[in-house]
Amino acid sequence: VEALTGNVVCLVSGSRSSKTFKPKKNIPEGSHQYELLKHAEATLGSGNLRQAVMLPEGEDLNEWIAVNTVDFFNQINMLYGTITEFCTEVSCPVMSAGPRYEYHWADGTNIKKPIKCSAPKYIDYLMTWVQDQLDDETLFPSKIGVPFPKNFMSVAKTILKRLFRVYAHIYHQHFDSVMRLQEEAHLNTSFKHFIFFVQEFNLIDRRELAPLQELIEKLGSKDR
């Protein structure tokens, strides 16, 4: 078993619901980031995902990554929200992505040595941690003219790396439920968009993507 761990801030969050896993993170209407989100949605509508992920001409890379990171958080939030009733302490006693990959929890302070925990608990902690980063105005400034911090790119990479683990868990452990709910097209499109985005800007190490490497290659080959 390969243990992939991360220093995640361990936070306790409220009860989970099968409809909305976490509150949706909204980008303020009228802001430049809102305009960027609308641009992203419009280019996605063209069906060319490789083109849709490219940095729009004249735009700031950090801002483009910030807007898309918020959007992916919301997408994964909704996708996982549809299958929370199937992802339980009993069905998923460890956070895994198939038999070869298991994710252990560490917060870097109280829990320095990674520990095993159930998938719902791991994902709950993880999504709460991500939401806290997105809500931090010093990390993700929403006001025009407020600069992004020097460590923004490393924070964004960590967030996206961890969000990938939720996709990996859904595909490996809950794809039958996704199919029963007729959500597979939605999941595949969301994941393809996510992968093309992180590939475009080299945001996730290839080793971290290993649990879904075959699927990633399949999605990429369809686009060539």
Side-chain angles (χ1 to χ4, degrees):
V1 170
E2 180 175 342
L4 300 174
T5 62
N7 294 329
V8 184
V9 179
C10 183
L11 295 162
V12 177
S13 63
S15 62
R16 299 180 314 128
S17 142
S18 61
K19 290 194 177 139
T20 307
F21 175 58
K22 293 277 172 215
K24 191 174 178 183
K25 167 75 181 168
N26 289 316
I27 289 174
E29 221 171 311
S31 68
H32 184 60
Q33 290 189 10
Y34 185 79
E35 295 307 313
L36 272 181
L37 182 63
K38 290 290 152 204
H39 170 86
E41 286 170 357
T43 51
L44 277 173
S46 73
N48 186 337
L49 286 173
R50 288 272 184 216
Q51 195 177 337
V53 298
M54 290 176 183
L55 178 67
E57 197 175 339
E59 294 297 346
D60 177 64
L61 177 61
N62 285 343
E63 197 158 34
W64 181 239
I65 287 175
V67 165
N68 281 277
T69 299
V70 170
D71 192 36
F72 287 126
F73 169 77
N74 285 333
Q75 286 184 43
I76 293 166
N77 189 18
M78 285 191 290
L79 286 163
Y80 183 69
T82 64
I83 57 99
T84 47
E85 63 190 290
F86 310 112
C87 186
T88 67
E89 303 277 331
V90 175
S91 69
C92 304
V94 294
M95 174 62 178
S96 64
R100 289 179 55 222
Y101 298 94
E102 191 174 291
Y103 301 105
H104 295 178
W105 186 263
D107 64 9
T109 50
N110 297 327
I111 307 171
K112 290 183 181 175
K113 190 178 176 186
I115 57 164
K116 280 189 184 187
C117 64
S118 69
K121 187 167 281 187
Y122 186 102
I123 293 171
D124 198 12
Y125 288 152
L126 170 52
M127 296 297 269
T128 302
W129 176 83
V130 171
Q131 191 171 32
D132 270 28
Q133 309 308 298
L134 301 181
D135 287 341
D136 185 343
E137 280 287 326
T138 65
L139 284 176
F140 281 77
S142 59
K143 295 179 181 69
I144 292 175
V146 177
F148 282 84
K150 288 194 172 94
N151 67 332
F152 172 74
M153 197 60 79
S154 72
V155 171
K157 284 180 175 181
T158 303
I159 289 170
L160 293 165
K161 174 180 79 176
R162 292 174 181 161
L163 288 176
F164 168 81
R165 296 172 181 181
V166 185
Y167 279 120
H169 180 72
I170 293 172
Y171 270 110
H172 277 283
Q173 310 303 134
H174 300 292
F175 195 66
D176 55 340
S177 299
V178 170
M179 287 181 71
R180 279 202 304 275
L181 293 165
Q182 298 183 315
E183 288 276 339
E184 66 266 34
H186 183 187
L187 174 64
N188 288 340
T189 303
S190 173
F191 181 63
K192 187 174 182 179
H193 180 200
F194 178 89
I195 285 301
F196 284 9
F197 186 80
V198 300
Q199 286 175 338
E200 175 72 11
F201 303 105
N202 197 24
L203 297 169
I204 302 181
D205 187 88
R206 187 177 166 88
R207 187 183 71 89
E208 284 282 341
L209 299 174
L212 293 177
Q213 195 54 48
E214 281 180 38
L215 176 62
I216 291 166
E217 285 168 13
K218 190 174 164 190
L219 292 173
S221 67
K222 283 183 182 174
D223 225 64
R224 288 192 186 106

